[in-house]
């Protein structure tokens, strides 16, 4: 996908794969227009025939032809609508998929700034605006121009004076529309921007319903909502004014056109230089002009919306991830015991606060198969350290290397997908999807068979939980988490079991678990951590006891790092002090 697309490039990219369908669509539209132009000629022959007293047979034939052509036109019209929709849906769905994938690959920093609701509005709302652009706009716009040109040609054929006057009137109308249009695009774009913000906001507070209710924050939420609604209304009003003005142009133009025909008719008809059939046809053609001209204004409005949307889609495509894959991927290796992890003099600051280093001078090596317990007060940088290991961010200085101890590879040399496949993560917040237990565990990978899933569930001790579910693995789980924190955590362990990684990151839930669940988790951890390297952000004494090494962070720096026994043996160590003062209370303080 190119960084930025002109409307033409977009058309080419998404219409080329279905070029034959588009060709068929163009043919259908052309056929409809041709029939529209021919039909009045048949009527003219009929009227003139009646006037000239032609035999009934002939008149009946002409009438029959008229009916056949009219029916044919309806059928072709129907077919062109169908094919047009087909083209539009195929193209917009492909674009939607491209944009969604692009968003998934963008940095975490981007997702922090842009709310899901806003992105939904862009990935779906803006692209919806392009449906007609793909299916019909270009074809119909050209078709309507063609139809208008055809009608004008016929009018010139009838009489050049009427041809010329109608042409002038239409030209003035088109000019007015053009001028009004130029001012409309920025207004429409501004409207869509505030709409995206509004949806982002709505998504945010729907997501936080529980927090809002429990804090009685409804009035504040509503106040901000009112403000956004008012702004949307103002911008909508602003762009609507122009649109309404635009809509009145065709009517005014046609009032003028009818005046011209009446004058022409009175002048020519009473001078007996024109037949009733010709006069009828003149009226009919001018009326026929009404349709394309009317449609042109609407289509130009749609085109503006489409152009505004294309601008916004381009903005999104223009966002580039800064975390990029090295085109020459190195291959990550590990030992049967796990993976070796090295932090080499690492410093890191988040992009939005580049002057505040969240981690500083982090330098250590964790041997394969070792369990590192990471401790530290809230905000000391523990979660940040684990995110760097997953390469959600790149270090500001220094490096992280992984490998088998012999070859150590900088994370930036690896393919991100390869890296993340080999690291298992369980975070404080377990994200469940609105899907079956099976899909939640395999993350929609259908190649993992049930035996493996059941074995993993047994390993973490969830088999009795599964046995109680009404439909077993096919039971639907709600995304909002009707599971207890402990169950969710165990499900996350099962995911890791299935992925079988060599390095595990565990950001332990700080909330207390009931003793039964705690025991389950302990048993699961026994199996999970076997023959893997582990970094645990530990909150519970049981987990800390399991660690081979302890590292204590304070304000982004390592204040202590050693084997757990060594730290225990030294009553002066931070770790011993922490244990004496009660681990959880000390960490939470
Ligand atoms: P806790 O024990 O509460 O989970 P933590 O040790 O995991 O804390 P981090 O989440 O790593 O702490 O945060 C370290 C610092 O970085 C904090 O000051 C926090 O405000 C800041 N921080 C965390 N995430 C971001 C982010 N995405 N953008 C900017 N700053 C951030
Ligand atoms: Mg944290």
């Amino acid at each position: 996908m190119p960084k930025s697309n002109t409307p033409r490039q977009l058309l080419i990219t998404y219409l080329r794969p279905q070029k034959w369908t588009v060709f068929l669509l163009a043919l259908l539209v052309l056929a409809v227009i041709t029939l529209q132009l021919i039909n009045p000629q048949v009527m003219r022959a009929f009227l003139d025939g009646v006037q000239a007293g032609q035999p009934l047979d002939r008149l009946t034939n002409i009438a029959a032809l008229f009916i056949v052509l009219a029916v044919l036109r309806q059928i072709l019209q129907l077919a062109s609508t169908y094919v047009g929709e087909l083209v539009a849906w195929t193209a917009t769905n492909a674009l939607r998929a491209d944009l969604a994938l692009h968003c998934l690959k963008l940095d975490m920093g981007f997702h922090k700034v842009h709310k899901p609701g806003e992105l939904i509005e862009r990935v779906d709302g803006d692209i919806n605006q392009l449906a007609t652009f793909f299916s019909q706009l270009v074809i119909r716009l050209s078709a309507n121009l063609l139809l208008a040109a055809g009608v004008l040609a016929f009018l010139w054929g009838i009489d050049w004076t009427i041809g010329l006057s109608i042409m002038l009137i239409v030209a003035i109308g088109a000019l007015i529309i053009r001028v009004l249009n130029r001012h409309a695009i920025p207004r429409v774009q501004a409207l869509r921007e505030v709409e995206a913000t509004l949806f982002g906001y709505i998504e945010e507070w729907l997501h936080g319903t529980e927090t809002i209710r429990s804090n009685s924050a409804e009035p504040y939420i509503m106040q901000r909502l009112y403000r956004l609604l008012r702004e949307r209304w103002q911008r909508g009003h602003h762009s609507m004014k122009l649109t309404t003005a635009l809509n009145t142009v065709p009517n005014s133009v046609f009032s003028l056109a009818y005046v011209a025909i009446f004058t022409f008719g009175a002048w020519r008809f009473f001078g007996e230089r024109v037949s009733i059939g010709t006069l009828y046809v003149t009226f009919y053609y001018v009326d026929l002009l009404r349709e394309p001209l009317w449609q042109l204004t609407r289509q130009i409005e749609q085109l503006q919306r489409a152009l505004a949307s294309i601008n916004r889609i381009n903005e999104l495509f223009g966002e580039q991830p800064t975390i990029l894959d090295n085109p020459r991927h190195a291959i990550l290796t590990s030992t049967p015991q796990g993976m070796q992890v090295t932090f080499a003099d690492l410093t890191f600051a988040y992009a939005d606060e580049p002057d505040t280093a969240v981690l500083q001078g982090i330098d250590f090596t964790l041997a394969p198969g070792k369990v590192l317990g990471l401790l530290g007060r809230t905000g000391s940088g523990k979660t940040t350290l684990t995110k760097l290991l997953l390469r959600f961010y790149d270090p500001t200085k220094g490096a992280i290397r992984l490998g088998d101890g012999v070859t150590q590879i900088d994370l930036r040399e690896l393919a991100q997908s390869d890296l993340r496949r080999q690291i298992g993560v369980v975070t404080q917040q377990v994200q469940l999807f609105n899907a079956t237990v099976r899909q939640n565990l395999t993350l929609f990978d259908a190649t993992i068979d049930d035996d493996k899933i059941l074995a993993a569930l047994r390993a973490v001790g969830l088999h009795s939980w599964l046995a109680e579910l009404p439909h077993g693995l096919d039971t639907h789980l709600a995304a909002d988490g009707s599971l207890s924190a402990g169950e969710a955590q165990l499900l996350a362990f099962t995911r890791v079991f299935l992925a079988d990684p060599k390095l595990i990151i565990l950001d332990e839930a700080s909330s207390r678990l009931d003793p039964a669940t705690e025991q389950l988790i302990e048993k699961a951890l026994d199996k999970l951590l076997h023959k893997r390297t582990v970094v645990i952000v530990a909150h519970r004494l049981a987990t800390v006891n399991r660690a081979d090494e302890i590292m204590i962070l304070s304000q982004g720096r390592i204040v202590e790092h050693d084997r757990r026994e060594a730290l225990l043996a030294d009553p002066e160590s931070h770790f011993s002090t922490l244990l004496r003062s009660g681990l959880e209370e000390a960490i939470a303080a």
Side-chain angles (χ1 to χ4, degrees):
M1 191 70 224
K3 262 191 184 178
S4 176
N5 309 276
T6 60
R8 206 173 128 245
Q9 280 168 329
L10 267 186
L11 281 178
I12 293 175
T13 314
Y14 292 98
L15 291 186
R16 183 178 285 159
Q18 30 175 354
K19 55 176 181 288
W20 292 113
T21 326
V22 175
F23 182 65
L24 175 66
L25 179 61
L27 279 187
L28 285 169
V29 171
L30 270 180
V32 172
I33 290 179
T34 315
L35 287 180
Q36 259 176 314
L37 284 172
I38 289 177
N39 241 359
Q41 294 295 345
V42 180
M43 191 61 123
R44 175 194 202 168
F46 183 82
L47 284 177
D48 286 346
V50 172
Q51 208 177 17
Q54 280 181 356
L56 194 62
D57 286 7
R58 201 178 137 70
L59 291 179
T60 316
N61 283 345
I62 298 178
L65 178 65
F66 182 84
I67 291 172
V68 169
L69 289 181
V71 171
L72 189 63
R73 195 187 120 193
Q74 291 305 325
I75 293 174
L76 289 176
Q77 183 85 52
L78 209 68
S80 80
T81 310
Y82 177 82
V83 177
E85 288 294 309
L86 196 68
V87 169
W89 279 98
T90 313
T92 48
N93 276 342
L95 180 58
R96 226 173 250 127
D98 281 348
L99 201 58
L101 188 64
H102 175 79
C103 286
L104 275 181
K105 287 185 177 165
L106 287 176
D107 292 352
M108 302 314 259
F110 170 87
H111 288 284
K112 204 180 124 197
V113 180
H114 297 275
K115 301 270 166 2
E118 180 193 333
L119 291 181
I120 291 171
E121 173 56 13
R122 290 215 189 174
V123 172
D124 198 65
D126 274 327
I127 290 181
N128 269 341
Q129 297 288 341
L130 292 192
T132 42
F133 172 71
F134 279 122
S135 67
Q136 325 186 336
L137 220 52
V138 178
I139 291 176
R140 294 216 184 251
L141 214 75
S142 344
N144 278 322
L145 282 173
L146 211 67
L147 180 60
V151 168
L152 283 175
F154 271 107
L155 286 174
W156 276 86
I158 293 167
D159 191 294
W160 72 268
T161 46
I162 189 76
L164 182 66
S165 28
I166 300 287
M167 204 167 103
L168 280 178
I169 293 168
V170 170
I172 292 170
L175 199 72
I176 299 174
I177 290 174
R178 230 187 103 113
V179 173
L180 289 179
N181 260 324
R182 197 168 307 151
H183 296 285
I185 296 184
R187 295 190 184 188
V188 175
Q189 194 163 348
L191 175 64
R192 296 206 54 78
E193 252 155 39
V194 73
E195 278 176 348
T197 316
L198 178 69
F199 285 115
Y201 182 63
I202 293 178
E203 184 273 339
E204 191 181 43
W205 64 256
L206 279 180
H207 197 75
T209 308
E210 214 175 298
T211 316
I212 293 167
R213 273 208 209 150
S214 54
N215 290 294
S216 309
E218 291 95 337
Y220 310 105
I221 297 294
M222 292 312 288
Q223 200 180 23
R224 247 191 89 189
L225 182 68
Y226 286 140
R227 225 178 292 146
L228 277 173
L229 285 179
R230 193 177 54 208
E231 186 157 351
R232 183 203 200 183
W233 174 76
Q234 280 168 342
R235 292 193 189 182
H237 187 71
H238 196 54
S239 85
M240 191 74 99
K241 274 193 285 198
L242 266 192
T243 321
T244 317
L246 264 172
N247 286 345
T248 59
V249 175
N251 275 337
S252 325
V253 167
F254 278 96
S255 309
L256 279 179
Y258 287 131
V259 172
I261 302 172
F262 282 132
T263 322
F264 163 78
W267 174 42
R268 291 285 164 117
F269 186 63
F270 292 112
E272 288 190 4
R273 274 188 281 172
V274 50
S275 71
I276 183 124
T278 308
L279 198 60
Y280 163 79
V281 155
T282 319
F283 259 109
Y284 192 98
Y285 276 131
V286 171
D287 219 41
L288 201 59
L289 252 189
R290 178 192 276 276
E291 179 80 4
L293 208 70
W294 176 243
Q295 280 197 13
L296 274 175
T297 49
R298 287 197 29 170
Q299 281 160 353
I300 288 175
E301 187 198 322
Q302 283 173 354
L303 188 66
Q304 278 153 15
R305 283 175 179 271
L307 290 180
S309 289
I310 288 176
N311 280 344
R312 288 166 41 76
I313 288 170
N314 277 336
E315 259 172 39
L316 201 50
F317 270 128
E319 293 278 351
Q320 290 298 312
T322 53
I323 310 287
L324 294 172
D325 275 348
N326 188 330
R328 290 173 290 112
H329 308 153
I331 302 293
L332 186 56
T333 51
S334 55
T335 71
Q337 299 304 316
M339 208 182 276
Q340 178 160 316
V341 181
T342 309
F343 276 63
D345 195 20
L346 175 140
T347 297
F348 173 74
Y350 283 102
D352 47 359
E353 286 172 51
D355 298 327
T356 328
V358 174
L359 290 173
Q360 243 178 66
I362 304 291
D363 198 90
F364 70 90
T365 297
L366 185 63
K370 294 288 179 205
V371 178
L372 174 72
L374 205 52
L375 306 181
R377 290 191 174 172
T378 181
S380 54
K382 305 177 298 288
T383 302
T384 305
L385 191 143
T386 63
K387 283 185 183 163
L388 286 168
L389 253 178
L390 283 163
R391 208 180 162 213
F392 283 149
Y393 305 94
D394 275 338
T396 317
K397 215 185 100 213
I400 301 176
R401 297 194 198 96
L402 295 180
D404 52 14
V406 184
T407 19
Q408 288 292 99
I409 301 167
D410 192 313
L411 293 196
R412 287 165 285 203
E413 304 290 319
L414 298 165
Q416 291 170 65
S417 52
D418 199 25
L419 168 74
R420 291 179 195 144
R421 207 173 308 121
Q422 306 206 40
I423 302 183
V425 194
V426 180
T427 57
Q428 293 167 327
Q429 271 187 331
V430 179
Q431 175 68 52
L432 293 174
F433 297 95
N434 208 342
T436 62
V437 173
R438 182 187 293 103
Q439 289 163 333
N440 263 295
L441 290 176
T442 59
L443 295 180
F444 303 92
D445 180 351
T447 60
I448 300 177
D449 59 46
D450 283 4
D451 289 345
K452 234 176 133 185
I453 302 175
L454 293 174
L457 282 169
R458 210 167 298 121
V460 302
L462 273 182
H463 49 286
S464 51
W465 170 79
L466 184 76
E468 280 171 22
L469 294 180
H471 307 290
L473 288 177
D474 290 314
T475 311
H476 217 83
L477 290 182
D480 61 0
S482 39
L483 298 175
S484 77
E487 284 164 347
Q489 194 102 106
L490 287 170
L491 274 186
F493 285 174
T494 319
R495 273 182 192 162
V496 175
F497 250 109
L498 285 171
D500 194 21
K502 284 293 171 196
L503 172 63
I504 292 187
I505 297 172
L506 215 105
D507 204 337
E508 220 177 30
S510 48
S511 53
R512 279 169 208 271
L513 300 167
D514 62 273
T517 317
E518 181 126 2
Q519 235 178 8
L520 267 182
I521 296 226
E522 279 314 303
K523 274 195 197 151
L525 278 177
D526 278 338
K527 298 209 175 96
L528 191 66
L529 308 190
H530 187 58
K531 292 202 170 177
R532 304 182 219 261
T533 309
V534 187
V535 176
I536 309 185
V537 178
H539 287 273
R540 298 173 311 131
L541 196 57
T543 324
V544 173
N545 283 340
R546 179 188 295 281
D548 301 303
E549 300 174 17
I550 296 288
M551 180 187 288
I552 301 180
L553 288 181
S554 172
Q555 298 184 340
R557 290 176 185 275
I558 301 179
V559 290
E560 199 163 86
H561 176 209
D562 209 338
R563 287 185 307 109
R564 188 172 56 90
E565 276 101 10
L567 293 176
L568 271 180
D570 174 6
E572 298 293 301
S573 69
H574 285 278
F575 183 53
S576 300
T577 322
L578 267 182
L579 288 185
R580 276 198 303 275
S581 62
L583 185 66
E584 285 178 49
E585 287 74 13
I587 291 173

